[in-house]
Amino acid sequence: MLAFRVRRRMGLLLGLLLCSLVSVQLFNLSLGSFERTAKDYPNSGLPTSQDPWNFGTWKEGQTRSDNAKVKSLKDFGVGVMEYAGQGGGNQEIIAEKQSLESTSRISTQPLRRFSKVSPAVLQEEKCPGCYGTTLCDKFYAGNITLDMETAGQAKRKGVFFGHMEGQRIVGKHLADPSEFKRLDHFVCQNSSRRIRPNQSCDVSWDILHSHLASRMALDVEYIRKDAHKVAQKTPSSLGLALCASDRFLGQLKDLYGLNRWTRDCSPEIATLMTSLILNPEGLLLKFFQQYVPELQKYFPTYLGECGRMIVVAEAGEPLSEYLDASWDVRADLSRQILQMIYDFQNASSDWMVVFADFRYENFAVTTDGRIQLLDLEDIMIIDKREIVPAKKRPSECNEECFVSFTKSLFQSEGQDCGVVPHHSQMMLLLACHKILSDLESTKYLRYFYDEKEKQVSTVGLLHDVPDILEPNMSNLLYNCVFESSPGQRIQSANILKRLLEVTGRGFMRS
């Protein structure tokens, strides 16, 4: 009886072994079929051994699929022409052939050269010491192309124009190489994993063993006092951190998927801190989209990121391109800038936005004529729950007053953030002074400029004011720049905005 049971079990084991061998052989056959199919139909967007990142160039406006069509025409043009001459479906095939030939001609024109982006540019290998990875698959598949070759000021700043699935986009590094280097050096020097001084450093691994991946890094006191020391030279280079509140940091944690169950050291914290420390522009764009939709119209749409590059929708033409536009167009753009400042102060019941870098190159005009802000590095978010009641100012506040307050704010390491809203009228001064006013009385005495730049004449957006609006508009612009009594700047800016609204509606025209 015992021998019979042993023989039966041996038979079952042999049967299972035979079935396993048959299954393995069938799997190998199907895998071989898949490999042959993959070789016959390669994905032109993915890396290959002959072309590791499959770089390609084509004209602005041409999509990745269009480029594939050009290659197809080159390989199969003879067959298409022969089939087109056989009769059935002649018109469709001829039209397709003409379209492909047209695409081929366009792709050779010497315009912007859009190409797939090298991993060395993205630096995804540094993650989580990066901005995130939501667009990496599209970058590597070739669905995102950037102009990495055309020289210019934008390229020097790490800004690259391109396309993503038919949409015009802008890729931004948000930091210069020296700032990336300082961040990496901080990570390597403060990693608990590196026991020996000469031990090799892997930023992606060591950042998880550094302070930047721990919950302690999200402490308000550390953010305000010490966060700028990681990658910036001065506290003023990281204005957002100076007045960060517990409530603001709480919403950033929600934005990056952090909660009380998140472990003490996590990649999400490291990514949040990297975004905050290097340049908070990408972080702020996501914050406005999620929590302050009232202000979203003033910023480009945030599309995602890969490694150390973010991607936003292209806003439009630079504001400086509209200096020679008609009076009605310039008046409307000026009104929008003043309205933007008003909305920054009042649109949200929770937050006030303070922006201090008013320059032509920081603004763009969309195709439907809307003003958008391009550079968010110098934005400060004030929690309205922490605002201190205002004291009546005994005198006017101009350049000396604002410079003195700004120095005091940074020296106090954020202790004076509660009174920042009472000095937010500085935005009006800077907007009128650096963009709107074309008065001779203000043109050569520009506030907040270097000594050399103060003597450089710049054209104001509100030049050549119609006679019917004078002298009222010039007086309002002057009082917006040079306040002679407390409250005069705010009052003059409100009247100026109202006057520009009336002008835009067709009233007060000669």
Side-chain angles (χ1 to χ4, degrees):
M1 188 67 179
L2 181 61
F4 172 74
R5 289 181 178 176
V6 171
R7 287 196 300 270
R8 186 174 66 176
R9 290 181 180 179
M10 290 294 292
L12 290 174
L13 289 173
L14 289 173
L16 289 174
L17 181 60
L18 182 62
C19 289
S20 299
L21 290 173
V22 172
S23 299
V24 170
Q25 291 299 323
L26 291 174
F27 176 76
N28 288 337
L29 289 174
S30 62
L31 182 62
S33 175
F34 171 78
E35 290 176 345
R36 287 191 297 273
T37 303
K39 291 178 181 178
D40 293 338
Y41 302 98
N43 186 339
S44 61
L46 296 177
T48 66
S49 58
Q50 290 80 18
D51 187 3
W53 293 105
N54 199 14
F55 289 108
T57 57
W58 50 89
K59 180 186 175 294
E60 179 177 5
Q62 185 180 1
T63 65
R64 174 171 168 263
S65 59
D66 293 335
N67 193 50
K69 288 181 180 179
V70 174
K71 294 181 179 178
S72 299
L73 176 63
K74 188 180 294 183
D75 295 337
F76 306 108
V78 176
V80 170
M81 293 175 66
E82 290 178 354
Y83 181 75
Q86 291 178 0
N90 285 12
Q91 298 301 322
E92 294 181 3
I93 298 299
I94 292 173
E96 177 71 8
K97 170 178 172 292
Q98 292 173 345
S99 174
L100 295 177
E101 288 177 344
S102 175
T103 303
S104 179
R105 289 194 300 271
I106 291 174
S107 64
T108 61
Q109 295 182 8
L111 297 175
R112 277 182 174 171
R113 295 173 60 84
F114 295 99
S115 61
K116 299 177 180 67
V117 183
S118 167
V121 175
L122 301 173
Q123 298 188 62
E124 187 197 4
E125 72 278 3
K126 299 291 182 70
C127 291
C130 65
Y131 305 130
T133 59
T134 59
L135 290 181
C136 287
D137 288 349
K138 291 188 177 182
F139 267 109
Y140 295 147
N143 295 328
I144 298 177
T145 57
L146 299 176
D147 177 13
M148 308 296 294
E149 299 183 18
T150 304
Q153 184 178 9
K155 183 178 179 180
R156 290 194 296 271
K157 291 183 176 181
V159 177
F160 306 94
F161 296 92
H163 289 96
M164 181 177 74
E165 299 171 346
Q167 182 179 6
R168 296 168 68 94
I169 62 169
V170 179
K172 294 184 175 183
H173 280 310
L174 298 183
D176 59 45
S178 65
E179 290 169 335
F180 286 129
K181 186 176 180 179
R182 283 195 290 270
L183 172 63
D184 293 345
H185 178 74
F186 177 89
V187 169
C188 294
Q189 292 297 313
N190 292 274
S191 171
S192 60
R193 188 184 71 91
R194 297 178 71 249
I195 302 174
R196 300 184 304 276
N198 59 347
Q199 186 176 346
S200 63
C201 178
D202 181 351
V203 173
S204 66
W205 183 248
D206 284 300
I207 195 171
L208 296 175
H209 294 78
S210 74
H211 177 71
L212 297 181
S214 68
R215 284 186 176 275
M216 294 185 295
L218 295 174
D219 178 70
V220 170
E221 186 174 358
Y222 172 77
I223 294 293
R224 288 187 173 188
K225 295 181 178 180
D226 299 317
H228 72 275
K229 298 176 183 178
V230 176
Q232 307 295 337
K233 293 181 178 179
T234 62
S236 59
S237 301
L238 196 60
L240 179 68
L242 183 65
C243 289
S245 66
D246 281 314
R247 195 160 65 108
F248 176 65
L249 290 178
Q251 294 205 328
L252 293 185
K253 293 175 186 177
D254 293 339
L255 200 60
Y256 282 78
L258 301 173
N259 52 52
R260 59 181 177 178
W261 291 286
T262 304
R263 59 184 183 271
D264 290 337
C265 291
S266 73
E268 293 82 7
I269 297 176
T271 299
L272 193 164
M273 289 301 298
T274 300
S275 302
L276 178 63
I277 287 169
L278 285 173
N279 185 327
E281 180 171 327
L283 178 150
L284 282 171
L285 288 173
K286 291 191 282 187
F287 173 77
F288 287 127
Q289 287 182 194
Q290 183 71 23
Y291 299 115
V292 198
E294 304 92 339
L295 299 179
Q296 175 55 37
K297 62 183 178 180
Y298 295 115
F299 308 106
T301 302
Y302 185 82
L303 301 175
E305 69 290 313
C306 178
R308 292 181 170 181
M309 177 178 284
I310 71 165
V311 177
V312 300
E314 185 176 339
E317 295 294 328
L319 178 60
S320 57
E321 296 293 321
Y322 287 80
L323 284 172
D324 294 327
S326 67
W327 167 257
D328 289 344
V329 172
R330 289 184 283 112
D332 182 64
L333 294 176
S334 301
R335 177 197 62 80
Q336 289 186 54
I337 291 175
L338 294 175
Q339 183 64 45
M340 180 192 73
I341 296 173
Y342 180 84
D343 288 343
F344 279 1
Q345 295 171 316
N346 303 289
S348 172
S349 59
D350 294 317
W351 313 102
M352 175 179 286
V353 178
V354 179
F355 177 70
D357 195 10
F358 282 85
R359 292 180 295 169
Y360 279 110
E361 53 264 38
N362 284 342
F363 290 89
V365 182
T366 64
T367 53
D368 56 351
R370 292 183 294 109
I371 281 284
Q372 285 197 339
L373 186 58
L374 300 181
D375 190 345
L376 282 68
E377 184 177 9
D378 293 312
I379 274 184
M380 190 178 292
I381 303 293
I382 306 298
D383 190 339
K384 287 189 175 181
R385 293 183 185 178
E386 298 188 356
I387 295 178
V388 177
K391 294 181 181 180
K392 187 175 181 181
R393 284 192 290 111
S395 61
E396 70 279 358
C397 190
N398 290 311
E399 180 181 22
E400 184 178 351
C401 168
F402 286 125
V403 170
S404 175
F405 171 73
T406 302
K407 289 181 179 179
S408 172
L409 178 64
F410 284 101
Q411 290 173 356
S412 70
E413 296 181 329
Q415 297 300 316
D416 293 337
C417 290
V419 298
V420 168
H422 311 317
H423 292 79
S424 62
Q425 59 166 298
M426 176 175 63
M427 292 189 286
L428 293 173
L429 183 154
L430 293 171
C432 291
H433 198 39
K434 293 189 174 185
I435 295 181
L436 304 186
S437 174
D438 193 58
L439 301 176
E440 292 294 329
S441 54
T442 65
K443 190 177 294 186
Y444 294 96
L445 294 173
R446 299 278 174 177
Y447 289 158
F448 306 103
Y449 277 82
D450 295 335
E451 290 300 324
K452 293 181 180 180
E453 295 178 333
K454 282 187 176 182
Q455 303 303 320
V456 177
S457 174
T458 57
V459 178
L461 198 58
L462 292 176
H463 63 82
D464 297 322
V465 180
D467 293 339
I468 195 172
L469 299 176
E470 291 288 30
N472 292 335
M473 184 160 290
S474 292
N475 291 334
L476 292 172
L477 285 168
Y478 184 87
N479 292 332
C480 181
V481 177
F482 300 109
E483 183 180 64
S484 58
S485 61
Q488 186 183 43
R489 177 175 293 109
I490 296 176
Q491 183 181 16
S492 298
N494 288 336
I495 297 174
L496 177 61
K497 181 164 71 72
R498 182 68 177 134
L499 186 61
L500 293 171
E501 289 175 354
V502 172
T503 302
R505 293 174 184 173
F507 298 97
M508 301 185 68
R509 293 181 183 175
S510 56

